Short mmCIF file of all heavy atoms in Angstrom, two decimals:
data_model
loop_
_atom_site.label_atom_id
_atom_site.label_comp_id
_atom_site.label_asym_id
_atom_site.label_seq_id
_atom_site.Cartn_x
_atom_site.Cartn_y
_atom_site.Cartn_z
N PRO E 398 24.02 -1.16 -15.49
CA PRO E 398 23.87 -1.03 -16.95
C PRO E 398 22.71 -0.10 -17.28
O PRO E 398 21.64 -0.20 -16.68
CB PRO E 398 23.58 -2.46 -17.40
CG PRO E 398 23.04 -3.16 -16.20
CD PRO E 398 23.72 -2.51 -15.02
N THR E 399 22.91 0.79 -18.22
CA THR E 399 21.85 1.74 -18.60
C THR E 399 21.40 1.59 -20.03
O THR E 399 20.49 2.27 -20.46
CB THR E 399 22.35 3.18 -18.40
OG1 THR E 399 23.52 3.36 -19.20
CG2 THR E 399 22.67 3.46 -16.95
N GLU E 400 22.05 0.68 -20.79
CA GLU E 400 21.66 0.55 -22.19
C GLU E 400 20.37 -0.24 -22.36
O GLU E 400 19.72 -0.19 -23.39
CB GLU E 400 22.78 -0.12 -23.01
CG GLU E 400 23.06 -1.57 -22.60
CD GLU E 400 24.05 -1.65 -21.45
OE1 GLU E 400 24.39 -0.59 -20.88
OE2 GLU E 400 24.48 -2.76 -21.11
N ASN E 401 19.96 -0.99 -21.32
CA ASN E 401 18.74 -1.79 -21.40
C ASN E 401 17.56 -0.97 -20.92
O ASN E 401 17.41 -0.71 -19.74
CB ASN E 401 18.89 -3.05 -20.54
CG ASN E 401 17.72 -4.00 -20.73
OD1 ASN E 401 16.66 -3.62 -21.22
ND2 ASN E 401 17.92 -5.26 -20.35
N THR E 402 16.69 -0.57 -21.84
CA THR E 402 15.57 0.28 -21.49
C THR E 402 14.64 -0.38 -20.49
O THR E 402 14.05 0.27 -19.64
CB THR E 402 14.76 0.65 -22.76
OG1 THR E 402 15.64 1.27 -23.69
CG2 THR E 402 13.62 1.58 -22.45
N ASP E 403 14.51 -1.71 -20.56
CA ASP E 403 13.59 -2.41 -19.66
C ASP E 403 14.04 -2.34 -18.21
O ASP E 403 13.23 -2.44 -17.31
CB ASP E 403 13.48 -3.88 -20.08
CG ASP E 403 12.70 -4.03 -21.36
OD1 ASP E 403 11.90 -3.12 -21.65
OD2 ASP E 403 12.90 -5.03 -22.07
N VAL E 404 15.34 -2.19 -17.99
CA VAL E 404 15.82 -2.18 -16.61
C VAL E 404 15.47 -0.87 -15.91
O VAL E 404 14.99 -0.85 -14.81
CB VAL E 404 17.35 -2.42 -16.57
CG1 VAL E 404 17.88 -2.22 -15.17
CG2 VAL E 404 17.69 -3.81 -17.08
N LEU E 405 15.68 0.25 -16.61
CA LEU E 405 15.53 1.54 -15.95
C LEU E 405 14.13 1.83 -15.44
O LEU E 405 13.98 2.36 -14.35
CB LEU E 405 15.99 2.66 -16.89
CG LEU E 405 17.49 2.88 -16.86
CD1 LEU E 405 17.90 3.82 -17.98
CD2 LEU E 405 17.96 3.40 -15.52
N PRO E 406 13.08 1.51 -16.17
CA PRO E 406 11.76 1.77 -15.60
C PRO E 406 11.42 0.90 -14.41
O PRO E 406 10.41 1.10 -13.78
CB PRO E 406 10.81 1.48 -16.78
CG PRO E 406 11.65 1.61 -18.00
CD PRO E 406 13.00 1.10 -17.58
N GLY E 407 12.25 -0.11 -14.11
CA GLY E 407 11.98 -0.92 -12.94
C GLY E 407 11.22 -2.20 -13.26
O GLY E 407 10.80 -2.91 -12.36
N THR E 408 11.08 -2.54 -14.57
CA THR E 408 10.39 -3.77 -14.92
C THR E 408 11.27 -4.99 -14.72
O THR E 408 10.78 -6.10 -14.73
CB THR E 408 9.91 -3.71 -16.38
OG1 THR E 408 11.04 -3.44 -17.22
CG2 THR E 408 8.90 -2.60 -16.56
N GLN E 409 12.60 -4.77 -14.60
CA GLN E 409 13.50 -5.82 -14.19
C GLN E 409 14.23 -5.34 -12.95
O GLN E 409 14.42 -4.16 -12.75
CB GLN E 409 14.52 -6.15 -15.29
CG GLN E 409 13.88 -6.75 -16.54
CD GLN E 409 14.92 -7.08 -17.58
OE1 GLN E 409 16.11 -6.98 -17.34
NE2 GLN E 409 14.44 -7.47 -18.75
N THR E 410 14.66 -6.26 -12.13
CA THR E 410 15.31 -5.89 -10.88
C THR E 410 16.78 -6.26 -10.92
O THR E 410 17.12 -7.40 -11.22
CB THR E 410 14.63 -6.59 -9.69
OG1 THR E 410 13.26 -6.25 -9.70
CG2 THR E 410 15.27 -6.17 -8.38
N ALA E 411 17.64 -5.31 -10.61
CA ALA E 411 19.08 -5.56 -10.62
C ALA E 411 19.49 -6.34 -9.37
O ALA E 411 18.76 -6.41 -8.39
CB ALA E 411 19.82 -4.22 -10.66
N VAL E 412 20.68 -6.92 -9.43
CA VAL E 412 21.23 -7.62 -8.28
C VAL E 412 21.76 -6.59 -7.29
O VAL E 412 22.46 -5.65 -7.66
CB VAL E 412 22.36 -8.58 -8.71
CG1 VAL E 412 22.96 -9.26 -7.50
CG2 VAL E 412 21.81 -9.61 -9.69
N TYR E 413 21.44 -6.78 -6.00
CA TYR E 413 21.83 -5.81 -4.98
C TYR E 413 23.35 -5.73 -4.84
O TYR E 413 24.05 -6.73 -4.90
CB TYR E 413 21.20 -6.18 -3.64
CG TYR E 413 21.66 -5.30 -2.50
CD1 TYR E 413 21.15 -4.03 -2.34
CD2 TYR E 413 22.66 -5.73 -1.63
CE1 TYR E 413 21.58 -3.21 -1.32
CE2 TYR E 413 23.10 -4.92 -0.60
CZ TYR E 413 22.56 -3.67 -0.45
OH TYR E 413 22.99 -2.86 0.57
N SER E 414 23.85 -4.50 -4.65
CA SER E 414 25.27 -4.24 -4.43
C SER E 414 25.40 -3.32 -3.22
O SER E 414 24.53 -2.49 -2.97
CB SER E 414 25.88 -3.56 -5.67
OG SER E 414 27.13 -2.96 -5.34
N PRO E 415 26.52 -3.46 -2.45
CA PRO E 415 26.72 -2.54 -1.31
C PRO E 415 26.71 -1.07 -1.71
O PRO E 415 26.37 -0.21 -0.90
CB PRO E 415 28.08 -2.96 -0.76
CG PRO E 415 28.22 -4.40 -1.17
CD PRO E 415 27.54 -4.51 -2.51
N TRP E 416 27.10 -0.78 -2.97
CA TRP E 416 27.08 0.62 -3.41
C TRP E 416 25.66 1.17 -3.46
O TRP E 416 25.46 2.38 -3.42
CB TRP E 416 27.75 0.76 -4.78
CG TRP E 416 29.25 0.74 -4.68
CD1 TRP E 416 30.08 -0.27 -5.02
CD2 TRP E 416 30.08 1.79 -4.20
NE1 TRP E 416 31.40 0.07 -4.78
CE2 TRP E 416 31.42 1.34 -4.27
CE3 TRP E 416 29.83 3.07 -3.71
CZ2 TRP E 416 32.50 2.13 -3.87
CZ3 TRP E 416 30.91 3.86 -3.30
CH2 TRP E 416 32.22 3.39 -3.39
N ALA E 417 24.68 0.29 -3.57
CA ALA E 417 23.28 0.74 -3.55
C ALA E 417 22.95 1.42 -2.23
O ALA E 417 22.18 2.39 -2.18
CB ALA E 417 22.35 -0.44 -3.80
N THR E 418 23.54 0.92 -1.14
CA THR E 418 23.32 1.54 0.17
C THR E 418 23.88 2.95 0.20
O THR E 418 23.28 3.86 0.78
CB THR E 418 23.96 0.68 1.27
OG1 THR E 418 23.40 -0.62 1.23
CG2 THR E 418 23.72 1.29 2.65
N PHE E 419 25.06 3.15 -0.44
CA PHE E 419 25.63 4.49 -0.51
C PHE E 419 24.72 5.44 -1.28
O PHE E 419 24.63 6.63 -0.95
CB PHE E 419 27.01 4.43 -1.18
CG PHE E 419 28.12 4.01 -0.26
CD1 PHE E 419 28.48 2.68 -0.16
CD2 PHE E 419 28.80 4.94 0.51
CE1 PHE E 419 29.50 2.28 0.69
CE2 PHE E 419 29.81 4.56 1.36
CZ PHE E 419 30.16 3.22 1.46
N ILE E 420 24.05 4.92 -2.30
CA ILE E 420 23.13 5.77 -3.06
C ILE E 420 21.96 6.20 -2.19
O ILE E 420 21.55 7.37 -2.20
CB ILE E 420 22.64 5.02 -4.32
CG1 ILE E 420 23.80 4.84 -5.30
CG2 ILE E 420 21.49 5.78 -4.99
CD1 ILE E 420 23.46 4.02 -6.51
N VAL E 421 21.42 5.27 -1.40
CA VAL E 421 20.33 5.63 -0.48
C VAL E 421 20.80 6.68 0.53
O VAL E 421 20.12 7.68 0.77
CB VAL E 421 19.81 4.38 0.26
CG1 VAL E 421 18.76 4.79 1.29
CG2 VAL E 421 19.22 3.38 -0.72
N VAL E 422 21.99 6.47 1.09
CA VAL E 422 22.54 7.42 2.06
C VAL E 422 22.74 8.79 1.41
O VAL E 422 22.41 9.83 2.00
CB VAL E 422 23.87 6.90 2.64
CG1 VAL E 422 24.56 7.98 3.47
CG2 VAL E 422 23.63 5.66 3.49
N SER E 423 23.26 8.81 0.19
CA SER E 423 23.51 10.09 -0.50
C SER E 423 22.20 10.83 -0.77
O SER E 423 22.13 12.06 -0.64
CB SER E 423 24.26 9.85 -1.81
OG SER E 423 23.45 9.16 -2.75
N LEU E 424 21.14 10.08 -1.14
CA LEU E 424 19.84 10.72 -1.37
C LEU E 424 19.24 11.25 -0.08
O LEU E 424 18.60 12.31 -0.06
CB LEU E 424 18.89 9.73 -2.04
CG LEU E 424 19.25 9.32 -3.47
CD1 LEU E 424 18.23 8.34 -4.03
CD2 LEU E 424 19.36 10.53 -4.39
N VAL E 425 19.46 10.54 1.02
CA VAL E 425 18.99 11.01 2.32
C VAL E 425 19.71 12.31 2.70
O VAL E 425 19.09 13.27 3.18
CB VAL E 425 19.21 9.94 3.40
CG1 VAL E 425 19.05 10.52 4.80
CG2 VAL E 425 18.24 8.78 3.21
N ILE E 426 21.01 12.39 2.46
CA ILE E 426 21.78 13.61 2.73
C ILE E 426 21.26 14.76 1.88
O ILE E 426 21.03 15.89 2.37
CB ILE E 426 23.28 13.39 2.47
CG1 ILE E 426 23.85 12.40 3.49
CG2 ILE E 426 24.05 14.70 2.51
CD1 ILE E 426 25.27 11.95 3.18
N PHE E 427 21.06 14.50 0.59
CA PHE E 427 20.55 15.53 -0.32
C PHE E 427 19.18 16.04 0.15
O PHE E 427 18.93 17.25 0.22
CB PHE E 427 20.45 14.96 -1.73
CG PHE E 427 19.60 15.78 -2.67
CD1 PHE E 427 20.08 16.98 -3.18
CD2 PHE E 427 18.33 15.37 -3.03
CE1 PHE E 427 19.30 17.75 -4.05
CE2 PHE E 427 17.55 16.12 -3.89
CZ PHE E 427 18.04 17.31 -4.40
N VAL E 428 18.28 15.11 0.47
CA VAL E 428 16.93 15.48 0.89
C VAL E 428 16.96 16.27 2.19
O VAL E 428 16.18 17.20 2.39
CB VAL E 428 16.04 14.23 1.01
CG1 VAL E 428 14.73 14.55 1.70
CG2 VAL E 428 15.78 13.64 -0.37
N CYS E 429 17.88 15.92 3.09
CA CYS E 429 18.00 16.66 4.35
C CYS E 429 18.34 18.13 4.09
O CYS E 429 17.71 19.03 4.63
CB CYS E 429 19.08 16.00 5.21
SG CYS E 429 19.29 16.77 6.82
N GLY E 430 19.35 18.38 3.24
CA GLY E 430 19.70 19.76 2.90
C GLY E 430 18.58 20.48 2.18
O GLY E 430 18.31 21.66 2.44
N TYR E 431 17.91 19.77 1.29
CA TYR E 431 16.80 20.36 0.53
C TYR E 431 15.66 20.77 1.46
O TYR E 431 15.12 21.88 1.35
CB TYR E 431 16.31 19.35 -0.50
CG TYR E 431 15.05 19.75 -1.23
CD1 TYR E 431 15.11 20.44 -2.43
CD2 TYR E 431 13.79 19.45 -0.71
CE1 TYR E 431 13.95 20.82 -3.09
CE2 TYR E 431 12.63 19.82 -1.37
CZ TYR E 431 12.71 20.50 -2.56
OH TYR E 431 11.57 20.88 -3.21
N ALA E 432 15.26 19.88 2.35
CA ALA E 432 14.09 20.13 3.20
C ALA E 432 14.32 21.29 4.15
O ALA E 432 13.41 22.09 4.40
CB ALA E 432 13.75 18.86 3.98
N ILE E 433 15.53 21.40 4.70
CA ILE E 433 15.83 22.50 5.63
C ILE E 433 15.93 23.81 4.89
O ILE E 433 15.56 24.87 5.41
CB ILE E 433 17.13 22.20 6.40
CG1 ILE E 433 16.91 21.02 7.35
CG2 ILE E 433 17.61 23.43 7.18
CD1 ILE E 433 18.16 20.57 8.07
N GLY E 434 16.41 23.78 3.63
CA GLY E 434 16.69 25.00 2.89
C GLY E 434 15.69 25.34 1.81
O GLY E 434 14.57 25.79 2.09
N VAL E 435 16.07 25.12 0.55
CA VAL E 435 15.31 25.65 -0.58
C VAL E 435 13.92 25.03 -0.68
O VAL E 435 12.99 25.67 -1.19
CB VAL E 435 16.09 25.43 -1.90
CG1 VAL E 435 16.15 23.96 -2.29
CG2 VAL E 435 15.50 26.26 -3.03
N GLY E 436 13.72 23.81 -0.18
CA GLY E 436 12.40 23.22 -0.21
C GLY E 436 11.39 24.00 0.60
O GLY E 436 10.18 23.98 0.32
N ASN E 437 11.87 24.71 1.60
CA ASN E 437 11.02 25.54 2.46
C ASN E 437 11.12 27.02 2.08
O ASN E 437 10.11 27.71 1.94
CB ASN E 437 11.42 25.31 3.93
CG ASN E 437 11.32 26.54 4.79
OD1 ASN E 437 10.29 27.20 4.84
ND2 ASN E 437 12.41 26.86 5.45
N ILE E 438 12.33 27.51 1.86
CA ILE E 438 12.54 28.95 1.66
C ILE E 438 11.86 29.47 0.40
O ILE E 438 11.32 30.58 0.38
CB ILE E 438 14.06 29.25 1.59
CG1 ILE E 438 14.77 28.83 2.88
CG2 ILE E 438 14.30 30.73 1.31
CD1 ILE E 438 14.26 29.51 4.12
N ALA E 439 11.84 28.67 -0.67
CA ALA E 439 11.24 29.15 -1.93
C ALA E 439 9.78 29.53 -1.76
O ALA E 439 9.29 30.46 -2.41
CB ALA E 439 11.40 28.07 -3.01
N TRP E 440 9.07 28.84 -0.85
CA TRP E 440 7.65 29.12 -0.68
C TRP E 440 7.38 30.31 0.23
O TRP E 440 6.21 30.66 0.47
CB TRP E 440 6.93 27.88 -0.16
CG TRP E 440 6.90 26.79 -1.18
CD1 TRP E 440 7.61 25.63 -1.16
CD2 TRP E 440 6.16 26.79 -2.40
NE1 TRP E 440 7.35 24.89 -2.29
CE2 TRP E 440 6.45 25.58 -3.07
CE3 TRP E 440 5.26 27.69 -2.99
CZ2 TRP E 440 5.89 25.24 -4.31
CZ3 TRP E 440 4.71 27.35 -4.22
CH2 TRP E 440 5.03 26.15 -4.86
N GLN E 441 8.44 30.98 0.69
CA GLN E 441 8.26 32.25 1.39
C GLN E 441 8.12 33.40 0.38
O GLN E 441 8.19 34.57 0.75
CB GLN E 441 9.47 32.53 2.30
CG GLN E 441 9.85 31.41 3.25
CD GLN E 441 8.85 31.19 4.35
OE1 GLN E 441 8.09 32.07 4.70
NE2 GLN E 441 8.86 29.98 4.92
N GLN E 442 7.90 33.08 -0.88
CA GLN E 442 7.91 34.05 -1.98
C GLN E 442 6.94 35.20 -1.80
O GLN E 442 7.24 36.34 -2.20
CB GLN E 442 7.58 33.32 -3.29
CG GLN E 442 6.21 32.66 -3.28
CD GLN E 442 5.96 31.79 -4.50
OE1 GLN E 442 6.87 31.44 -5.23
NE2 GLN E 442 4.71 31.41 -4.72
N SER E 443 5.79 34.96 -1.21
CA SER E 443 4.76 36.01 -1.13
C SER E 443 5.26 37.23 -0.37
O SER E 443 4.83 38.37 -0.65
CB SER E 443 3.50 35.46 -0.45
OG SER E 443 2.97 34.37 -1.16
N GLU E 444 6.15 37.04 0.61
CA GLU E 444 6.61 38.15 1.43
C GLU E 444 7.47 39.13 0.65
O GLU E 444 7.69 40.26 1.10
CB GLU E 444 7.39 37.64 2.64
CG GLU E 444 8.70 36.96 2.31
CD GLU E 444 9.40 36.39 3.53
OE1 GLU E 444 8.77 36.33 4.61
OE2 GLU E 444 10.59 36.02 3.41
N LEU E 445 7.96 38.75 -0.51
CA LEU E 445 8.84 39.62 -1.30
C LEU E 445 8.08 40.71 -2.04
O LEU E 445 8.66 41.74 -2.39
CB LEU E 445 9.64 38.79 -2.31
CG LEU E 445 10.63 37.77 -1.75
CD1 LEU E 445 11.11 36.83 -2.85
CD2 LEU E 445 11.81 38.48 -1.10
N PHE E 446 6.79 40.51 -2.30
CA PHE E 446 6.03 41.40 -3.19
C PHE E 446 5.12 42.34 -2.42
O PHE E 446 4.51 41.94 -1.41
CB PHE E 446 5.16 40.56 -4.14
CG PHE E 446 5.93 39.65 -5.05
CD1 PHE E 446 6.09 38.31 -4.73
CD2 PHE E 446 6.50 40.13 -6.22
CE1 PHE E 446 6.78 37.46 -5.56
CE2 PHE E 446 7.21 39.29 -7.06
CZ PHE E 446 7.35 37.95 -6.73
N PRO E 447 4.96 43.59 -2.90
CA PRO E 447 3.94 44.48 -2.33
C PRO E 447 2.55 43.98 -2.69
O PRO E 447 2.37 43.18 -3.62
CB PRO E 447 4.24 45.83 -2.98
CG PRO E 447 4.98 45.51 -4.22
CD PRO E 447 5.77 44.26 -3.94
N LEU E 448 1.55 44.45 -1.97
CA LEU E 448 0.19 43.91 -2.07
C LEU E 448 -0.37 43.95 -3.49
O LEU E 448 -0.98 42.99 -3.95
CB LEU E 448 -0.74 44.68 -1.12
CG LEU E 448 -2.20 44.23 -1.08
CD1 LEU E 448 -2.30 42.77 -0.67
CD2 LEU E 448 -2.99 45.12 -0.12
N SER E 449 -0.14 45.05 -4.21
CA SER E 449 -0.78 45.21 -5.52
C SER E 449 -0.32 44.17 -6.53
O SER E 449 -1.07 43.84 -7.46
CB SER E 449 -0.50 46.62 -6.06
OG SER E 449 0.89 46.81 -6.25
N VAL E 450 0.89 43.65 -6.40
CA VAL E 450 1.39 42.65 -7.35
C VAL E 450 1.74 41.33 -6.65
O VAL E 450 2.39 40.47 -7.24
CB VAL E 450 2.63 43.18 -8.11
CG1 VAL E 450 2.26 44.37 -8.99
CG2 VAL E 450 3.75 43.54 -7.15
N ARG E 451 1.31 41.18 -5.40
CA ARG E 451 1.70 39.98 -4.64
C ARG E 451 1.15 38.71 -5.26
O ARG E 451 1.87 37.72 -5.42
CB ARG E 451 1.22 40.12 -3.19
CG ARG E 451 1.69 38.97 -2.29
CD ARG E 451 1.35 39.27 -0.84
NE ARG E 451 2.09 40.44 -0.38
CZ ARG E 451 1.62 41.34 0.47
NH1 ARG E 451 0.39 41.19 0.95
NH2 ARG E 451 2.34 42.36 0.83
N SER E 452 -0.12 38.72 -5.61
CA SER E 452 -0.72 37.52 -6.18
C SER E 452 -0.14 37.22 -7.56
O SER E 452 0.19 36.07 -7.87
CB SER E 452 -2.24 37.70 -6.27
OG SER E 452 -2.84 36.54 -6.80
N LEU E 453 0.02 38.24 -8.39
CA LEU E 453 0.56 38.04 -9.73
C LEU E 453 2.01 37.58 -9.67
O LEU E 453 2.40 36.63 -10.36
CB LEU E 453 0.45 39.34 -10.54
CG LEU E 453 1.01 39.30 -11.97
CD1 LEU E 453 0.31 38.23 -12.79
CD2 LEU E 453 0.88 40.67 -12.63
N GLY E 454 2.82 38.25 -8.85
CA GLY E 454 4.23 37.86 -8.73
C GLY E 454 4.38 36.45 -8.19
O GLY E 454 5.19 35.65 -8.70
N SER E 455 3.58 36.10 -7.18
CA SER E 455 3.62 34.75 -6.63
C SER E 455 3.15 33.73 -7.66
O SER E 455 3.68 32.62 -7.72
CB SER E 455 2.74 34.67 -5.37
OG SER E 455 3.21 35.52 -4.36
N GLY E 456 2.17 34.12 -8.48
CA GLY E 456 1.67 33.22 -9.52
C GLY E 456 2.74 32.91 -10.56
O GLY E 456 2.90 31.76 -10.97
N LEU E 457 3.49 33.93 -10.98
CA LEU E 457 4.54 33.71 -11.97
C LEU E 457 5.68 32.89 -11.38
O LEU E 457 6.27 32.04 -12.07
CB LEU E 457 5.06 35.05 -12.50
CG LEU E 457 4.06 35.87 -13.32
CD1 LEU E 457 4.66 37.21 -13.73
CD2 LEU E 457 3.61 35.09 -14.56
N ALA E 458 6.01 33.14 -10.11
CA ALA E 458 7.06 32.35 -9.46
C ALA E 458 6.63 30.90 -9.32
O ALA E 458 7.42 29.97 -9.55
CB ALA E 458 7.39 32.95 -8.10
N THR E 459 5.35 30.68 -8.93
CA THR E 459 4.84 29.32 -8.82
C THR E 459 4.81 28.63 -10.18
O THR E 459 5.10 27.43 -10.29
CB THR E 459 3.44 29.33 -8.20
OG1 THR E 459 3.48 29.99 -6.94
CG2 THR E 459 2.91 27.92 -7.99
N ALA E 460 4.48 29.40 -11.23
CA ALA E 460 4.51 28.84 -12.59
C ALA E 460 5.93 28.42 -12.96
O ALA E 460 6.13 27.41 -13.66
CB ALA E 460 3.97 29.86 -13.59
N THR E 461 6.93 29.18 -12.50
CA THR E 461 8.33 28.79 -12.73
C THR E 461 8.63 27.46 -12.06
O THR E 461 9.31 26.59 -12.64
CB THR E 461 9.28 29.87 -12.17
OG1 THR E 461 9.00 31.12 -12.80
CG2 THR E 461 10.74 29.50 -12.42
N ASN E 462 8.11 27.29 -10.85
CA ASN E 462 8.29 26.03 -10.15
C ASN E 462 7.72 24.87 -10.96
O ASN E 462 8.40 23.86 -11.19
CB ASN E 462 7.60 26.11 -8.77
CG ASN E 462 7.70 24.84 -7.97
OD1 ASN E 462 7.13 23.80 -8.33
ND2 ASN E 462 8.39 24.89 -6.85
N TRP E 463 6.48 25.02 -11.40
CA TRP E 463 5.84 23.92 -12.11
C TRP E 463 6.38 23.73 -13.52
O TRP E 463 6.39 22.60 -14.03
CB TRP E 463 4.33 24.12 -12.11
CG TRP E 463 3.77 23.94 -10.73
CD1 TRP E 463 3.23 24.91 -9.93
CD2 TRP E 463 3.74 22.73 -9.98
NE1 TRP E 463 2.87 24.37 -8.71
CE2 TRP E 463 3.17 23.04 -8.72
CE3 TRP E 463 4.14 21.42 -10.23
CZ2 TRP E 463 2.98 22.08 -7.74
CZ3 TRP E 463 3.95 20.46 -9.25
CH2 TRP E 463 3.39 20.79 -8.03
N GLY E 464 6.82 24.81 -14.14
CA GLY E 464 7.48 24.66 -15.45
C GLY E 464 8.76 23.85 -15.32
O GLY E 464 9.04 22.95 -16.12
N SER E 465 9.55 24.17 -14.30
CA SER E 465 10.79 23.43 -14.05
C SER E 465 10.48 21.98 -13.64
O SER E 465 11.17 21.04 -14.06
CB SER E 465 11.59 24.12 -12.94
OG SER E 465 11.88 25.45 -13.28
N ASN E 466 9.43 21.82 -12.84
CA ASN E 466 9.01 20.48 -12.44
C ASN E 466 8.62 19.64 -13.65
O ASN E 466 8.98 18.45 -13.76
CB ASN E 466 7.81 20.61 -11.48
CG ASN E 466 7.46 19.31 -10.78
OD1 ASN E 466 7.54 18.24 -11.36
ND2 ASN E 466 7.05 19.42 -9.54
N PHE E 467 7.90 20.26 -14.58
CA PHE E 467 7.49 19.57 -15.81
C PHE E 467 8.71 19.10 -16.61
O PHE E 467 8.79 17.96 -17.06
CB PHE E 467 6.62 20.49 -16.66
CG PHE E 467 6.31 19.95 -18.03
CD1 PHE E 467 5.44 18.89 -18.18
CD2 PHE E 467 6.89 20.52 -19.15
CE1 PHE E 467 5.15 18.39 -19.45
CE2 PHE E 467 6.61 20.02 -20.41
CZ PHE E 467 5.74 18.95 -20.57
#
Side-chain angles (χ1 to χ4, degrees):
T399 58
E400 65 274 8
N401 188 342
T402 303
D403 288 336
V404 172
L405 276 170
T408 55
Q409 294 181 7
T410 303
V412 177
Y413 174 77
S414 163
W416 282 105
T418 302
F419 279 93
I420 292 175
V421 175
V422 171
S423 68
L424 293 180
V425 166
I426 293 171
F427 165 74
V428 169
C429 182
Y431 172 92
I433 292 175
V435 70
N437 145 53
I438 300 300
W440 292 108
Q441 309 290 338
Q442 61 188 14
S443 301
E444 67 183 12
L445 295 168
F446 298 98
L448 181 59
S449 62
V450 295
R451 185 172 296 144
S452 181
L453 179 59
S455 297
L457 294 177
T459 304
T461 302
N462 179 293
W463 291 111
S465 303
N466 191 323
F467 172 71

